[in-house]
Amino acid sequence: MASITLCMINQKGGCGKSSTCFHLAGAFAASGCSVLLIDADPQGSLSQGFFGSEVIENLPAGRTLAALFDEECFFLDQQQLILQTDFDGISIVPCNQHLARHNIPEPEKAGLAQYALKEFLEQNDGYDVVLIDCPPNLYQCSWNAMVAADYVVIPVPPEDFGTQGLRAVHQAIDNARKLNPTIRRLGHLVTRYDRRLLVHRSYEERLRELYKEMVLDTIVPEASAFKVSLACRQPVEYYSAKSTAAERTRDLAAEIVTRIAEKSKKRIVGA
Ligand SMILES: Nc1ncnc2c1ncn2[C@@H]1O[C@H](COP(=O)(O)OP(=O)(O)O)[C@@H](O)[C@H]1O
Ligand SMILES: [Mg+2]
């Protein structure tokens, strides 16, 4: 498998960005892939998912993603930023509150800092899958992710029609294309879905009408197994491989690989 760098973007909180990164890492790793997670949200929830809040909140800036934006850390050995988790094949560049001051609005004016994550990933390659978890805004951290990534997934909970949120996300991706011309939308991912709710079924239908094949077939259901396994600091694949939640996460990993393979083929033939 060729290497995949994918970021999860949405300017809303609570839509499942961190949860999807966490569990998806488990699905990819269990299938034999090496995964590097980048926690680019100053809230650090992805990092805390693996190591707990106390460990993560006590990390000095120089041991977190913030180091990439900090001139004082210029000569740091960047390898030091990568932590091995308890799970074979899953590593993470953690972050915490120290990243907040670098997450500035108007990142387009930030000069070379816009390329910090891209350069880091170019120097630390060799992973099959890189998943970048972003904060609920479109500032510097999300911008860095879009400049560095090959693909964007937009997690959307099936509620909140009428908001302008998605338009802003698409605009940001278009803007990022100026610095990263090959970035592509892999699609919208319906998350936290409850098929018993008419409002959820209607939302999904409408989203597919609007965005057509730009909506992933796989749907992430609202399922307690996601929450419980996260609380136990294990991706659901390791906590409960037979659960529906784990099964859907494996489906999602497989669909991501298939979609990327199709897009690469089209790119080669110039479609
Ligand atoms: N599919 C799901 N089923 C159940 N709980 C979920 C699901 N996705 C996310 N959650 C829970 O909802 C909360 C917010 O999700 P999170 O992934 O942190 O959102 P975001 O990163 O987009 O802000 C977390 O407590 C998470 O465990
Ligand atoms: Mg999050």
Side-chain angles (χ1 to χ4, degrees):
M1 192 174 87
S3 146
I4 294 172
T5 302
L6 191 150
C7 63
M8 301 273 170
I9 302 271
N10 194 323
Q11 59 174 350
K12 281 176 52 117
C15 55
K17 293 180 294 296
S18 304
S19 172
T20 306
C21 284
F22 183 78
H23 298 298
L24 201 49
F28 276 120
S31 74
C33 296
S34 57
V35 182
L36 177 64
L37 290 165
I38 305 290
D39 189 352
D41 180 353
Q43 286 177 24
S45 31
L46 183 61
S47 311
Q48 292 177 15
F50 288 99
F51 297 103
S53 55
E54 207 181 321
V55 170
I56 293 303
E57 282 166 9
N58 286 318
L59 286 173
R63 301 302 297 268
T64 72
L65 190 71
L68 301 188
F69 300 94
D70 197 335
E71 280 170 19
E72 283 175 23
C73 300
F74 196 68
F75 295 107
L76 181 105
D77 173 10
Q78 292 192 341
Q79 241 352 103
Q80 273 186 32
L81 303 181
I82 303 174
L83 300 182
Q84 173 62 46
T85 69
D86 287 344
F87 304 94
D88 267 355
I90 306 182
S91 303
I92 183 169
V93 177
C95 85
N96 59 16
Q97 64 285 353
H98 292 300
L99 187 61
R101 70 189 172 92
H102 301 289
N103 193 28
I104 52 165
E106 301 194 53
E108 302 91 330
K109 297 179 182 164
L112 287 178
Q114 297 171 88
Y115 297 94
L117 182 55
K118 181 183 169 65
E119 279 178 11
F120 173 82
L121 292 178
E122 281 170 0
Q123 282 159 27
N124 295 277
D125 57 355
Y127 295 91
D128 298 314
V129 182
V130 178
L131 300 174
I132 310 169
D133 184 29
C134 294
N137 54 57
L138 298 167
Y139 299 165
Q140 177 72 294
C141 292
S142 298
W143 183 250
N144 252 263
M146 289 187 284
V147 171
D150 303 318
Y151 294 96
V152 183
V153 168
I154 308 164
V156 282
E159 286 166 24
D160 255 355
F161 258 124
T163 65
Q164 298 297 305
L166 286 181
R167 193 174 300 170
V169 172
H170 287 285
Q171 185 61 55
I173 299 169
D174 287 340
N175 292 347
R177 194 160 277 137
K178 289 174 203 145
L179 301 190
N180 179 9
T182 55
I183 190 170
R184 289 186 149 198
R185 295 169 176 84
L186 200 62
H188 302 76
L189 170 66
V190 177
T191 54
R192 315 202 63 175
Y193 183 79
D194 183 345
R195 68 187 153 89
R196 292 167 305 181
L197 298 180
L198 177 62
V199 63
H200 283 195
R201 296 200 302 273
S202 313
Y203 183 100
E204 187 212 343
E205 208 172 285
R206 181 95 181 94
L207 195 72
R208 292 191 191 281
E209 263 169 33
L210 277 173
Y211 290 103
K212 312 263 178 325
E213 73 282 358
M214 204 59 89
V215 182
L216 293 166
D217 298 333
T218 309
I219 289 175
V220 177
E222 178 79 16
S224 58
F226 286 122
K227 276 187 200 290
V228 175
S229 57
L230 177 63
C232 296
R233 298 190 194 157
Q234 296 180 34
V236 70
E237 179 66 29
Y238 295 92
Y239 183 80
S240 174
K242 289 186 178 159
S243 62
T244 307
E247 207 175 301
R248 286 296 87 76
T249 310
R250 289 192 293 272
D251 291 346
L252 177 60
E255 186 178 358
I256 287 172
V257 171
T258 307
R259 281 193 175 233
I260 288 178
E262 281 165 5
K263 282 187 185 286
S264 314
K265 221 184 296 168
K266 280 188 193 158
R267 198 179 289 189
I268 289 165
V269 297

